[in-house]
Amino acid sequence: MDSMKLHLKVWRQKDKNDKGRMVSYEANNISEHMSFLEMLDVVNDDLIKKGDDPIAFDHDCREGICGACSMVINGVPHGPEKGTTTCQLHMRKFKDGDTVYIEPWRAKAFPVAKDLIVDRSAFDRIIQAGGYVSINTGGAPDGNALPIPKVDADLAMDAATCIGCGACVAACKNASAMLFVSAKVSHLALLPQGVVEKKERVRKMVKAMDKEGFGNCTNQYECEAACPKEISVNFITRLNREYISS
C-alpha cells in the first residue's frame, strides 16, 4: 500500500501548568515510506493551513543519534519497533485505518513543557554532577598507544551508545533513570582516563539522580526493552557494585 489514513489521538498541553488532554486528528495520504516524524510534519502542515496550533514535538538529527525524538506511541516509548528511535520508525509498521495514540514521556522528573515535549534537563544535571573526566590527561595520544583490553573497550563502547533520550525512564513503572546513569558511569569507569575518579563519580551521579526525583530500579527490565540502543541492564549491576564499593 502506497498511502494510508490514520486516526491519531495526540496529547495536547499548552504548558506545564495546563491540565492537558487527548485530541483526535486525521492523518491523510500518509506514505508507508515516511518516518513517524515526517507523518507528524504532514499533520502539522494541515493544521497550520487551517490556522490551528501545530503539534509540538522534539526533534533534531532525525538519524537516531541525538535522542530528541521522545514520545510514547501506543503505550511504548519510541513505538513498536525494537531498537529504534521515533525518527527512525517508519509508517510501514502501521496499517491503513489504525488508531495511533501519541503521548509525551510520563515522569515527575520530566515535566511536560508543551504537547509532546518534556523538560529533560534533569539528565543534564546528572551529567554535570560527575559524568565527565576532570583530571589532566595531557595531549591526545595515539589511540593504539593505550593498552585497553578489548573486552573493556567493547563494554565501554556499548555503554557509550546511550543517547540520553529518556525512554528507560518512560518505560519504567518507577520512572527510574538507573539505565541512563549506569551507562554514563560505566563507559567512563571502564577506560583508563575515567578510573581515577570512578568512586567519586558514581556517588555524585547517584546523589544527583535521587535529588531529581527518579525512582529506583526493581528489575523489571522494561528499560532495556524500550532502549533504542538496546543497552543491557548488566550496566545497572555494575553501577550498584561500584556504588557499594565506593
Side-chain angles (χ1 to χ4, degrees):
M1 181 178 295
D2 293 330
S3 64
M4 64 182 79
K5 178 179 180 179
L6 299 170
H7 309 289
L8 306 183
K9 305 288 185 179
V10 184
W11 183 260
R12 301 303 307 265
Q13 185 172 337
K14 292 181 180 180
D15 52 45
K16 65 179 182 179
N17 298 316
D18 185 35
K19 185 177 181 180
R21 68 195 190 283
M22 298 297 287
V23 178
S24 298
Y25 297 100
E26 298 298 318
N28 299 307
N29 299 317
I30 301 301
S31 169
E32 62 180 6
H33 304 298
M34 286 181 179
S35 72
F36 199 86
L37 297 190
E38 288 171 336
M39 179 275 293
L40 288 179
D41 288 338
V42 170
V43 173
N44 276 344
D45 284 344
D46 290 339
L47 290 175
I48 292 171
K49 288 176 183 177
K50 296 175 183 176
D52 296 333
D53 191 26
I55 300 164
F57 61 92
D58 260 335
H59 63 95
D60 191 359
C61 73
R62 298 202 179 198
E63 295 179 349
I65 299 172
C66 70
C69 56
S70 52
M71 59 186 74
V72 177
I73 304 167
N74 287 343
V76 181
H78 288 301
E81 180 77 4
K82 185 174 174 59
T84 303
T85 54
T86 300
C87 63
Q88 296 290 288
L89 175 67
H90 286 84
M91 298 312 297
R92 52 182 170 268
K93 289 295 176 180
F94 301 89
K95 301 188 299 294
D96 183 42
D98 276 356
T99 298
V100 183
Y101 290 82
I102 312 171
E103 302 174 75
W105 288 168
R106 301 291 189 183
K108 182 180 179 181
F110 288 162
V112 176
K114 183 176 181 180
D115 296 343
L116 305 176
I117 300 175
V118 299
D119 180 357
R120 289 176 296 172
S121 58
F123 272 8
D124 297 331
R125 290 187 288 272
I126 293 173
I127 294 297
Q128 290 166 4
Y132 51 82
V133 174
S134 66
I135 60 171
N136 185 0
T137 58
D142 182 87
N144 294 323
L146 289 175
I148 304 172
K150 188 176 187 304
V151 173
D152 291 345
D154 288 346
L155 277 175
M157 181 60 72
D158 289 344
T161 58
C162 172
I163 57 178
C165 67
C168 51
V169 176
C172 179
K173 67 178 184 180
N174 305 319
S176 173
M178 289 286 277
L179 190 65
F180 165 77
V181 176
S182 67
K184 298 304 180 183
V185 164
S186 297
H187 97 258
L188 290 171
L190 283 161
L191 298 176
Q193 299 93 330
V195 170
V196 178
E197 297 173 297
K198 72 174 187 177
K199 291 186 177 182
E200 181 183 5
R201 178 184 301 112
V202 71
R203 287 196 301 267
K204 287 183 175 180
M205 293 184 74
V206 169
K207 182 179 179 180
M209 175 183 69
D210 292 341
K211 182 180 179 180
E212 294 294 339
F214 292 103
N216 200 11
C217 174
T218 51
N219 300 315
Q220 298 295 305
Y221 286 32
E222 293 292 339
C223 55
E224 181 181 299
C227 178
K229 298 304 176 181
E230 300 182 280
I231 294 173
S232 172
V233 293
N234 290 336
F235 288 114
I236 297 179
T237 303
R238 180 180 293 274
L239 167 68
N240 287 331
R241 183 167 61 246
E242 291 195 4
Y243 183 74
I244 291 171
S245 63
S246 66

